Amino acid sequence: MSRTRWRLGLGATALLVAAGLIPAPAHAEDVTDYAITVDPSARGAKIDDTMYGVFFEDINRAADGGLYAELVQNRSFEYSTDDNGSHTPLTSWTVTGTAQVVNDDGRLNARNRNYLSLGAGSSVTNAGYNTGIHVDAGKKYDFSVWARADAGTALTVSLGDADGMLATARQVAVTKSGWAKYRATFTAGRTSSAGRLTVASAAAAALDMVSLFPRDTYRGEPNGLRKDLAEKVAALHPGFVRFPGGCLVNTGSMEDYSEASGWQRKRSYQWKDTIGPVEQRATNANFWGYNQSYGLGYYEYFRLSEDIGAMPLPVVPALVTGCGQNRAVADEALLKRHVQDTLDLIEFANGPASSTWGRKRAQMGHPEPFHLTHIEVGNEENLPNEFFARFKEFRAAIAAEYPDIQVISNSGPDDSGTTFDTAWQLNRDAKVDMVDEHYYNSPQWFLQNNDRYDSYDRGGPKVFLGEYASQGNTFKNALTEAAFMTGLERNADVVKLASYAPLFANEDYVQWRPDLIWFNNHASWNSANYEVQKLFMNNVGDRVVPSAATGTPSLLAPITGAVGLSTWATTAAYDDVSVTDADGRALLTDDFSSGAAQWTHTGGGSWSVQDGQYVQTDVNAENTMVSAGDPSWHDYDLKVKATKRAGKEGFLVAFGVKDTGTYYWWNIGGWNNTQTAVEQAVDGGKSTLISKAGSVETGRAYDIDVKVRGRQVSLFLDGQEWGSFTDDKPAEPFRQVVTKDGKTGDLIVKVVNAQNAAARTAVDLGGAKVAPRARVTTLAAAQDAVNSETSTAVTPVTSTFDGVAGKFSYTFPANSVTFLRIRQR
C-alpha cells in the first residue's frame, strides 16, 4: 500500500497572495525564469515506503522530562555526580523535616540502588521539570509509590503551586513492613505549569519510585508517552524510527549494570537494562549530562514504532566508542556477550512467546512479534578499521541465525575525509547492505550538494542518511534541507532511508541545536524544519518520474572578502601580515610595530600587541576572530607568520571574510591538534571543504601563504603546497523533483525556491494527460522566520490551481516549498 497522503482544502491562490499568506514579488525584476521538463514515459527510481523516518535520541531531555510522560523528576533518588557534577540523590527534591537517601540492603531491588528514608512527621516535595509539574483542569493524574514502614504509616500526598492546592490531597495507608506499591488518583481543579508534588509521612517510612503520570497519555498506555509529543511524531507518518542513539550507544563503559562490574553508571545504552517492570530497570548516566531512568526503554520504542506504523530500527554498540572518546574495547569475552545480546534482541522483537526473550516481551503485554527487519551496529565510529573488525563479528552472527535481518554499518561522523573514505571502502569491500551517513552542515552546503548521490555506485551498499540538519531552525534552514531532499528522492535507488536529527528539544535543557520539535512542560511546537519534513513524508510517492530543470544564472563570482586571524582553545602570536593583489601591489602590510589599529576584533578572547606580535592570550577562548581589509578584495595573496604558544589546538587564518558569520578559514592543527582543514562558514554554519591529518608544534613559527584566484584557493605551509580547492559548486536555490503516487496516479511536482525572488516557471509534463486543477500545498515565509510556542510563522497553506495542462506556467513564491498534486487522466 502506498504511504503517500495528502490533506488539502480549497481556496484560490490569488486570494492567498492578496491576504499575504503566500508572498508575492514586489517588482517585476524580482522574478527569475525557469523551466521544468517532465518525462512521464521514463521509469525513475522506486521509492520505498520507509524512505523518510525519525531519529530519537535522549538528548535535550527528549525522554525523561519529554516524550516519557512521567511528571516527577528523579523519582527513584538515583541522580548522581556521575550524571552531572551538580547532581545529588535529592536533586529536584526539597526536604521538610528529616530525610536521607540510603544505599543499603534494605533497597527495593539490586538494580534500584537508592531509596529515601523519611523521618516521622517529615515530607519531601518534587519540583518536576521546567517550571514545575504541569496539570490541566479536569484531567486525572495517577500517583504511585513503592513504600514500606515497620509500624505502618499514613502518607499524605498533595499537589499544589504557589497559589494553593491544585487537587484534593490523598491519604495513602502504608500497611506493610516490606516493600509494596501504593496508588492514588488526583483530578486537577485548575491548570498550572508550576505544580509541586509533596509526600508527607506520619511515621518513619522508606520510599522509592515516587511517580505521577497523566492518565491521558498517548493511546492511553500506562508507563506511556506524553500525548502531544507522540502525536507530533505520528503526524509525520514516518517510515521508520531509529533509536536509542546516537552518542548514547557508543560512549562509556561497555560493561553491564551489576555487582561484578561495580555498578557502572557511565555505560553505553544496552537494551536489556531497559525492559521489564520499571522499578527493576537500571539507571544510567546520559552522555549529554544528566540521568536517564530507562522508564522509556526498548519495549516502549517498539510499541511507539508499531503504534505509528513505522519500522523499528534499533542501534546497538559495536564496542568502539565515539563522540570524542574514540577507544576500541579489546575484550573478546565482552564482545561475544554483546553479540549474543544483539541476537537476544532480535529474539525479543521477533521470537515466539514460547522463546526465552519472546516470553519476556509477552509478559510485558505484547505476545505478538514486533517484526524487526533492520538493525544497526555502531554509530559514528572514528576508528574505522577497529570498528569494522567488530562489525563483521556482529554481522556474521546475525546472518547465521537470522539471515533475513538487514545489518547496517556506518561511515563515521562526517560527510567526507579520511575516516569517511576508509569506512566506505571497508563497507564496499565487504559488500555491506547499507551504510549510515551523518552530517550537520551549513545551509549553503545543502544547496551545493543536491547532486551528492547522483554519482554513487548503483551496485554498492545502499545509503541510510541517519542524521542530518543544516545548523539552524529558521525557514532558510528548512528551505535548504528541502532542496537537498529533492536530491535524496531523485536518488531513491541509492538512498533508502533518511532522518533529520535530533527529534526533540526541551527548551530549558538544550545540549544541541537545531532540533525538529521543541517543547516545555506544557506546550510543544513544530520547527520550520518539521513542516518541511512533514510535507515530504506525507507526499512521498512510490516512484520518481524523471525530470529536469534549468538553473539560476550568474550564481558564481570570485571569492571576495577581507582577511582574518583567530584561535580556538589556544594562545597564539601572529606577525608580518601582508596582502597583495594578483599583480603584486600591496593591499595590506602589518608587522604590528605600531600597534594593531588596522584590525577589528569581532570574536572572543583577548588580543594585544606584545613584542611586535599580535597575540591572543586567552587559552580557553573559542573563535577569537580579528579581521582587516576590504570585503570587496578578490584575487589576492595572504601571508602571515603564526606561532602557537599554548593550548589544545593550533591557529586559524581567515580569507574571504564578509562578516562575522561568512568567511573561509584555514584551521591548522584543529580538532585537538589532530587535523588541518579549510572550513567555509556561511551565515554562521560551517562545512569542511578539504581536510588532512596534521598537527602543529608549540613555539614554532609557521609561514602561511594563501593564494586566492577567482574561486580557486591554493594553500602553502612553510613554502610547501599543502593543498588546494576550487569552490565552484553553485548554491542553486531552485530545485525540484517529480514523483508518482501509485495508488492515485497523481504526479507530485515538488519545487523549492530558496531565494528572495519568485520563480516564474514553464512546466512541460511531457504529454501526460492531466486534469486542469492541481491541489497545492505551500510553505512560504521570510528566510529568518522561526516558529515558537507563541508564533507560527511557517505553516502550510493549501489551495488549488486551475491552470494545469500538458504545458503550463506557475510562479513559485520567493522562499517557498510548493507541492503540486496533479491528477492524471
Side-chain angles (χ1 to χ4, degrees):
M1 178 184 292
S2 170
R3 288 185 54 258
T4 304
R5 297 172 172 86
W6 48 263
R7 295 179 176 85
L8 297 165
L10 297 178
T13 301
L15 291 176
L16 293 169
V17 171
L21 297 175
I22 297 178
H27 304 95
E29 61 267 25
D30 293 334
V31 179
T32 303
D33 288 318
Y34 296 90
I36 297 174
T37 304
V38 183
D39 185 359
S41 65
R43 194 170 173 83
K46 180 182 181 297
I47 305 174
D48 293 342
D49 288 350
T50 51
M51 174 75 183
Y52 295 120
V54 295
F55 163 52
F56 183 95
E57 178 172 7
D58 187 359
I59 185 174
N60 309 315
R61 289 273 187 195
D64 295 330
L67 184 63
Y68 186 48
E70 173 66 76
L71 297 173
V72 174
Q73 185 176 176
N74 190 18
R75 65 184 178 185
S76 193
F77 310 100
E78 296 291 340
Y79 276 29
S80 161
T81 53
D82 285 335
D83 310 322
N84 186 290
S86 67
H87 281 181
T88 74
L90 283 171
T91 292
S92 81
W93 292 95
T94 301
V95 175
T96 300
T98 60
Q100 62 177 335
V101 175
V102 181
N103 180 347
D104 64 16
D105 290 342
R107 64 180 64 87
L108 180 60
N109 59 68
R111 289 162 69 81
N112 193 328
R113 307 294 293 165
N114 291 348
Y115 65 94
L116 184 74
S117 176
L118 186 62
S122 300
S123 66
V124 286
T125 299
N126 190 266
Y129 296 94
N130 300 93
T131 56
I133 292 171
H134 176 79
V135 295
D136 288 308
K139 294 289 184 70
K140 293 185 181 297
Y141 296 85
D142 293 322
F143 167 83
S144 65
V145 63
W146 284 80
R148 60 177 172 80
D150 291 340
T153 189
L155 300 180
T156 301
V157 187
S158 57
L159 187 60
D161 63 10
D163 294 327
M165 299 301 291
L166 292 166
T168 303
R170 294 288 184 249
Q171 297 293 317
V172 175
V174 177
T175 59
K176 297 181 180 180
S177 59
W179 288 104
K181 189 174 184 179
Y182 301 90
R183 296 178 173 86
T185 298
F186 292 98
T187 300
R190 56 186 172 85
T191 297
S192 174
S193 294
R196 300 290 188 269
L197 179 75
T198 298
V199 181
S201 182
L207 308 179
D208 206 344
M209 295 296 291
V210 182
S211 173
L212 187 69
F213 255 88
R215 180 78 56 86
D216 189 19
T217 59
Y218 182 63
R219 297 174 70 92
E221 294 174 356
N223 196 54
L225 306 181
R226 179 170 149 175
K227 189 175 182 180
D228 62 324
L229 297 183
E231 285 177 344
K232 287 187 182 301
V233 178
L236 292 168
H237 300 294
F240 64 88
V241 179
R242 177 178 179 252
F243 62 87
C247 289
L248 304 188
V249 169
N250 69 336
T251 54
S253 168
M254 299 293 164
E255 299 286 350
D256 62 1
Y257 191 59
S258 67
E259 185 175 11
S261 70
W263 305 107
Q264 290 275 354
R265 280 293 292 267
K266 295 185 176 182
R267 310 183 310 284
S268 64
Y269 197 111
Q270 299 174 45
W271 77 272
K272 289 180 180 178
D273 286 341
T274 75
I275 64 167
V278 291
E279 69 273 8
Q280 295 177 18
R281 299 183 190 183
T283 190
N284 200 3
N286 182 296
F287 173 82
W288 299 107
Y290 52 88
N291 177 273
Q292 50 189 348
S293 71
Y294 289 143
L296 177 60
Y298 257 72
Y299 178 78
E300 289 74 28
Y301 288 129
F302 278 122
R303 285 296 302 268
L304 172 64
S305 301
E306 181 180 68
D307 287 345
I308 64 178
M311 175 181 80
L313 204 168
V315 186
V316 298
L319 276 72
V320 176
T321 59
C323 301
Q325 297 182 357
N326 300 337
R327 295 189 302 272
V329 178
D331 184 330
E332 194 62 30
L334 191 58
L335 175 61
K336 290 185 182 302
R337 194 266 286 174
H338 275 268
V339 170
Q340 185 58 52
D341 281 354
T342 302
L343 297 176
D344 293 343
L345 170 60
I346 298 171
E347 182 176 286
F348 176 78
N350 292 353
S354 59
S355 65
T356 299
W357 290 99
R359 183 179 303 111
K360 292 186 180 296
R361 181 194 68 239
Q363 290 169 349
M364 294 184 73
H366 201 282
E368 298 303 315
F370 284 118
H371 306 293
L372 178 68
T373 59
H374 293 65
I375 195 164
E376 184 172 355
V377 176
N379 170 77
E380 293 188 9
E381 280 71 29
N382 234 330
L383 302 172
N385 291 296
E386 293 85 345
F387 159 74
F388 207 75
R390 290 155 178 77
F391 172 84
K392 289 192 294 185
E393 296 203 34
F394 281 86
R395 186 175 69 156
I398 294 169
E401 198 159 331
Y402 300 102
D404 293 334
I405 296 290
Q406 189 167 110
V407 185
I408 301 172
S409 180
N410 77 83
S411 59
D414 301 304
D415 63 90
S416 60
T418 302
T419 296
F420 179 87
D421 293 339
T422 301
W424 256 106
Q425 191 60 52
L426 291 166
N427 285 309
R428 276 191 293 266
D429 291 346
K431 295 181 170 47
V432 167
D433 290 334
M434 189 178 293
V435 178
D436 189 1
E437 293 187 355
H438 293 179
Y439 38 82
Y440 299 90
N441 289 323
S442 69
Q444 171 126 334
W445 185 95
F446 282 92
L447 291 181
Q448 289 176 316
N449 286 274
N450 176 273
D451 64 348
R452 175 179 176 89
Y453 298 106
D454 290 0
S455 59
Y456 269 48
D457 180 7
R458 265 50 200 168
K462 304 304 181 185
V463 173
F464 172 23
L465 181 49
E467 298 184 32
Y468 73 97
S470 71
Q471 301 174 338
N473 278 143
T474 70
F475 190 48
K476 177 179 181 177
N477 297 102
L479 282 169
T480 63
E481 290 156 4
F484 189 72
M485 291 170 78
T486 66
L488 300 183
E489 289 193 5
R490 187 176 63 251
N491 291 286
D493 57 327
V494 170
V495 183
K496 306 305 287 184
L497 306 168
S499 50
Y500 179 101
L503 180 60
F504 285 119
N506 185 319
E507 67 173 351
D508 292 331
Y509 309 94
V510 181
Q511 292 86 45
W512 184 276
R513 298 174 188 267
D515 303 284
L516 202 64
I517 299 168
W518 288 80
F519 65 92
N520 51 36
N521 66 353
H522 63 275
S524 57
W525 54 97
N526 305 333
S527 67
N529 318 66
Y530 174 97
E531 295 298 349
V532 162
Q533 292 291 324
K534 183 178 179 182
L535 187 55
F536 273 85
M537 288 194 206
N538 283 269
N539 296 275
V540 182
D542 299 281
R543 187 172 293 279
V544 175
V545 181
S547 61
T550 55
T552 307
S554 303
L555 282 176
L556 295 177
I559 292 173
T560 60
V563 298
L565 310 170
S566 190
T567 60
W568 197 287
T570 307
T571 64
Y574 294 92
D575 204 356
D576 297 334
V577 179
S578 70
V579 181
T580 55
D581 68 15
D583 296 324
R585 290 187 295 264
L587 301 174
L588 170 73
T589 58
D590 203 338
D591 62 4
F592 304 105
S593 59
S594 301
Q598 299 184 80
W599 298 82
T600 301
H601 185 191
T602 57
S606 178
W607 288 86
S608 60
V609 174
Q610 300 178 7
D611 300 324
Q613 295 180 311
Y614 202 19
V615 184
Q616 199 290 114
T617 55
D618 185 345
V619 74
N620 296 312
E622 299 177 348
N623 195 5
T624 65
M625 180 86 81
V626 291
S627 60
D630 190 329
S632 67
W633 282 350
H634 61 88
D635 296 288
Y636 56 76
D637 291 0
L638 164 63
K639 295 183 179 181
V640 61
K641 287 186 182 295
T643 304
K644 173 183 175 177
R645 290 191 168 185
K648 297 177 180 178
E649 306 206 350
F651 29 77
L652 303 112
V653 176
F655 53 97
V657 179
K658 297 288 186 66
D659 52 46
T660 56
T662 302
Y663 52 83
Y664 301 81
W665 67 18
W666 192 5
N667 187 349
I668 304 172
W671 295 271
N672 288 320
N673 205 15
T674 62
Q675 290 185 64
T676 294
V678 176
E679 297 177 280
Q680 181 183 20
V682 179
D683 295 335
K686 289 202 292 286
S687 53
T688 301
L689 302 182
I690 180 174
S691 176
K692 298 180 183 180
S695 60
V696 301
E697 300 173 24
T698 301
R700 175 184 165 189
Y702 289 83
D703 287 318
I704 297 166
D705 184 1
V706 180
K707 297 183 185 299
V708 181
R709 296 293 183 272
R711 298 200 68 82
Q712 183 173 357
V713 179
S714 301
L715 306 115
F716 298 82
L717 195 60
D718 288 337
Q720 300 295 313
E721 185 169 359
W722 174 87
S724 64
F725 68 93
T726 303
D727 183 20
D728 61 355
K729 295 189 73 173
E732 173 59 62
F734 184 83
R735 297 291 187 183
Q736 59 80 39
V737 70
V738 180
T739 63
K740 181 179 178 180
D741 183 335
K743 183 177 181 180
T744 66
D746 289 354
L747 295 176
I748 313 172
V749 179
K750 311 175 187 184
V751 176
V752 180
N753 183 26
Q755 61 185 328
N756 292 323
R760 185 168 50 209
T761 307
V763 181
D764 183 347
L765 295 178
K769 304 298 183 183
V770 294
R773 172 172 288 189
R775 298 176 177 178
V776 186
T777 305
T778 305
L779 290 170
Q783 287 199 0
D784 60 356
V786 178
N787 287 348
S788 68
E789 180 183 354
T790 58
S791 173
T792 308
V794 182
T795 192
V797 173
T798 59
S799 62
T800 59
F801 174 67
D802 293 329
V804 179
K807 295 181 179 181
F808 67 97
S809 294
Y810 191 93
T811 298
F812 296 95
N815 302 316
S816 67
V817 183
T818 306
F819 280 27
L820 301 174
R821 272 189 165 269
I822 299 171
R823 183 64 53 89
Q824 293 194 88
R825 289 176 169 171

